[in-house]
Amino acid sequence: MDHFFFLHLILLLFNLISFSSSSNPKSSISSSSSSIKDEIIRVANATENVEWLKRIRREIHEYPELGYEEFKTSAAIRRELDRMGIGYRWPVAGTGVVATIGSGSPPFVALRADMDALPIQELVEWKHKSKIDGKMHACGHDAHVTMLLGAANILQEFKHTLQGTVVLIFQPAEELGSGARRMIEEGVLENVEAILGIHVFNHYGTGTVATRPGEFLAGCGSFKAEIKGKGGHAALPQMSIDPILAASQSVISLQQIVSRETDPLQSQVVSVSSFQAGSAFNVIPDTAIIGGTFRAFNKQNLDLLKQRIQQVITGQATVHRCSAVIDFREEEDPLIPPTVNNERVFGIMHHVSTEIVGDNNAHTAPRFMGSEDFAFYLDKIPGSFLLIGVGNERVGSVYPPHSPYFTIDEDVLPIGAAIHAAFAHKYLISSTQ
C-alpha cells in the first residue's frame, strides 16, 4: 500500500514538473526569439536585399554632405522609409530623421546612425566616387545610414513580433561633435530606455565585430589660449614682453599634467597641436596662440584636465608678465563625454552580434583614445557602441577613417543591418520578460 502511494506521488510530481516546463513562457519566448534571429539573418542576406543595400550606400556616397547640410541624404532616407510604410519625424536638429516601428507602446529601444561626411577630397578611384569636390564619406557614415535602413526593412517585416517600439535615429553632424546633443534637445530619447550605435572599422576584418563593456572610447575636449605680451624689435627683447616664451613654457608644462600628476593606470592625453605667433624673424609679436585637445576615459578626469589646463596656461602667462585668455570652444567643439558601454545592454548586444558573426569573430576591443558624439546618448540612457569590421585587402579597405583613400567592404552592410534588427528585437523581449 505504501509503495503504491509513493509511486503515484512520484508520477504526480513528474507530471507537474513536465507541465511547468512546457508552459514556461520564458522557454517559449527563447525558442521564438531564436527562430526570429534566423529569419532576420535570412532576410538580411537575401540577394535582392543585399543589392538594394549596395545601391543605397553608393547613392549616398556619391553625394556626401557635411554636418547640418545632409538634405539630399535625408531625402533618400525618407524616400526609403515611405516605400516601406514606416512613419517618421522630420526635420529634427535641422536635417535629422527619427522613425518608429512596432507597437507604439513601451518599452522603447533606439538604434542610431550618423549621416554626415567630411571636408576631404576622395582619392579612391571607383565608379561611385564622390561627385562633390572637397567632400567625402571618409568615415563610413554612408554605410551606417544604409545598415540602419536595412534594419528598418527587416524590422518592418517582423513588426508583429516586436514587443514594444524601435526608434530609428538618423543623426546629422557627428563629425562636428554636436549632432547627438541637438537631437537629444529635440526629444529623440523621450521614453527610450536603451540605445545601440554601430561604427565600421578597418582594423577588423569583414565579418567580425569588436567592443568591450564599460569604458570604451575617451571623452574629448579642445582648447585655444591667446597669450598677450608686448611686441617689439627682436634685437631689444628687454623692451618687450615675449608671449612666445610664455606660450612655449605653457606647452612644456602642459605635458607634465599627464606625466607627473595623473595615475599611470588612468590613461589620459593632453596634446598641443597648434602654435601661431608672429610673421617676421626680427619682430617679437604681441600675441601667441596655442591650441590642442585633452582626453580621458571618465568625466571626473576630463574635468580635472580642463581645470589644470586653465591653471597651467594662466600661471605660465603670469610668470612671464603676460595675460592669457583660455577658450574651451564648447560652442564650436562641445566637450564630448566618454563612451561607456552599459553592462546589461552590452550583454544583449554581445550575445546577438556573436550569434550573427560567430564566436571566433567577436573580439574584445582595446580602449581607444578616439571619441564619438554617441556618448551624449550614453550620458542620458544606458546603451552600447559596437565596432564592425570592414577590413579587406582584396577590395582596398585597409585605410583608416578620415583618409582620402578610405573605403569599405560592402559585404558588411547586411551584417550591420542584421545586428541592428536582432538587437532591437532581443532587447524588447528581454525588457518585457
Side-chain angles (χ1 to χ4, degrees), residues 85-98:
I86 297 173
Y88 55 84
R89 180 160 62 102
W90 175 84
V92 185
T95 54
V97 181
V98 181

Side-chain angles (χ1 to χ4, degrees), residues 60-341:
I60 295 171
H61 188 88
E62 287 181 0
Y63 295 96
E65 298 168 302
L66 304 183
Y68 301 122
E69 299 174 4
E70 307 97 329
F71 297 104
K72 195 175 186 70
T73 305
S74 178
I77 292 167
R78 288 179 281 120
R79 180 194 70 214
E80 295 303 316
L81 293 173
D82 286 335
R83 182 186 61 78
M84 292 181 247
I86 297 173
Y88 55 84
R89 180 160 62 102
W90 175 84
V92 185
T95 54
V97 181
V98 181
T100 54
I101 304 172
S103 66
S105 304
F108 289 78
V109 63
L111 309 172
R112 173 269 203 168
D114 38 15
M115 308 189 297
D116 55 324
L118 285 156
I120 295 173
Q121 182 68 41
E122 182 168 8
L123 298 180
V124 183
E125 295 300 333
W126 68 306
K127 184 178 178 181
H128 300 283
K129 181 179 180 178
S130 170
K131 295 185 181 340
I132 311 298
D133 284 344
K135 297 179 184 179
M136 175 192 176
H137 270 292
C139 202
H141 297 186
D142 51 342
H144 300 168
V145 169
T146 302
M147 290 188 293
L148 191 52
L149 283 173
N153 189 48
I154 296 168
L155 290 166
Q156 183 70 346
E157 181 162 339
F158 298 107
K159 64 180 179 180
H160 60 285
T161 69
L162 295 174
Q163 300 181 24
T165 307
V166 183
V167 180
L168 310 176
I169 299 174
F170 297 91
Q171 176 209 306
E174 187 279 328
E175 299 292 354
L176 299 180
S178 60
R181 190 173 65 170
R182 280 192 57 184
M183 295 289 278
I184 293 167
E185 289 170 354
E186 296 193 24
V188 302
L189 293 184
E190 185 176 353
N191 299 319
V192 175
E193 61 179 55
I195 189 168
L196 171 67
I198 293 179
H199 201 298
V200 296
F201 199 50
N202 69 298
H203 183 74
Y204 296 97
T206 306
T208 66
V209 296
T211 186
R212 65 183 299 115
E215 296 174 353
F216 187 17
L217 305 180
C220 173
S222 61
F223 65 93
K224 176 182 176 181
E226 184 174 356
I227 300 171
K228 291 188 174 182
K230 178 184 175 184
H233 201 291
L236 302 168
Q238 74 278 13
M239 305 297 292
S240 303
I241 299 175
D242 191 347
I244 293 179
L245 182 59
S248 299
Q249 291 291 351
S250 295
V251 172
I252 293 170
S253 296
L254 287 171
Q255 306 313 304
Q256 295 168 12
I257 296 175
V258 172
S259 67
R260 297 293 89 189
E261 299 180 20
T262 64
D263 184 341
L265 301 179
Q266 294 286 327
S267 301
Q268 298 175 42
V269 164
V270 176
S271 292
V272 178
S273 53
S274 174
F275 196 127
Q276 303 165 13
S279 58
F281 294 131
N282 60 349
V283 178
I284 294 172
D286 290 315
T287 303
I289 298 173
I290 61 174
T293 183
F294 57 101
R295 297 165 187 257
F297 284 107
N298 66 62
K299 292 177 72 176
Q300 181 181 6
N301 287 342
L302 206 61
D303 289 339
L304 286 172
L305 285 179
K306 181 179 176 181
Q307 178 183 332
R308 287 296 289 138
I309 288 167
Q310 174 87 34
Q311 292 170 345
V312 166
I313 297 175
T314 302
Q316 287 295 342
T318 300
V319 166
H320 294 87
R321 300 179 297 148
C322 294
S323 62
V325 176
I326 297 95
D327 178 11
F328 288 95
R329 308 177 72 245
E330 294 199 28
E331 286 301 316
E332 304 164 62
D333 295 307
L335 184 67
I336 299 174
T339 299
V340 181
N341 287 337

Side-chain angles (χ1 to χ4, degrees), residues 108-111 189 191-197 340-346 348 374-385 423 427:
F108 289 78
V109 63
L111 309 172
L189 293 184
N191 299 319
V192 175
E193 61 179 55
I195 189 168
L196 171 67
V340 181
N341 287 337
N342 173 266
E343 295 280 349
R344 174 175 176 258
V345 181
F346 168 84
I348 296 170
F374 183 75
F376 284 108
Y377 300 113
L378 300 185
D379 206 34
K380 299 293 183 182
I381 61 172
S384 202
F385 195 62
F423 167 81
Y427 182 88

